[in-house]
Amino acid sequence: MKLAERMRWTNSHPAWARKVNEWAELGLTSGWLGTEVDGPLVVFAVGDEPRPEAAHAVASLHALSIETHMLTGDNPPVAQAVGAQVGVVDIHAGLLPEDKARYVDSLPKAAMVGDGVNDGPALAAAMVSVALAEIGSAVALDTADVALMRDDL
């Protein structure tokens, strides 16, 4: 949306801009496709469904009095929507990899679960780190203490 705003596409297509905001509240990430000459041609949304077992896994951790935190590079509305779906309340969005690592490092005892390149520094900062092997990046797998061979939380 930042580039679309800079190109003034959101001003010329306010209905599309409203749709992008609606999609964000549903946990979807949007994109604009266009040219400088023609302006925006299409706006679209993509999203990942949370793993079916994620809400149960988070609830199980909460039942053990274990805090959960979501650290993500996604924009805040998307992160809030996904957090609500899985039961995570403490959500930190718009983070760069080094921001995630600083946050994990600030916790007295932290376990980190991740699967992407952007999770590598935070996995390294955690007391215990877990990578999801089936979808995990090489960086996450190399950095983590534990690699789950099946991505079943």
Side-chain angles (χ1 to χ4, degrees), residues 37-53:
V37 174
D38 298 319
L41 302 173
V42 67
V43 63
F44 61 92
V46 296
D48 291 323
E49 287 290 319
R51 298 169 178 278
E53 71 277 9

Side-chain angles (χ1 to χ4, degrees), residues 49-145:
E49 287 290 319
R51 298 169 178 278
E53 71 277 9
H56 176 72
V58 170
S60 297
L61 292 169
H62 291 169
L64 296 170
S65 299
I66 296 173
E67 295 177 13
T68 58
H69 309 258
M70 180 188 291
L71 310 177
T72 180
D74 288 337
N75 68 52
V78 170
Q80 291 292 332
V82 172
Q85 291 174 43
V86 300
V88 176
V89 177
D90 187 22
I91 298 167
H92 302 270
L95 300 180
L96 297 172
E98 57 270 20
D99 300 326
K100 293 179 184 182
R102 263 193 305 278
Y103 187 84
V104 168
D105 200 40
S106 75
L107 299 171
K109 295 179 182 177
M112 170 74 183
V113 178
D115 62 7
V117 171
N118 292 331
D119 296 325
L123 289 166
M127 181 182 283
V128 176
S129 56
V130 179
L132 304 174
E134 282 185 14
I135 61 168
S137 70
V139 170
L141 293 171
D142 289 344
T143 306
D145 299 311

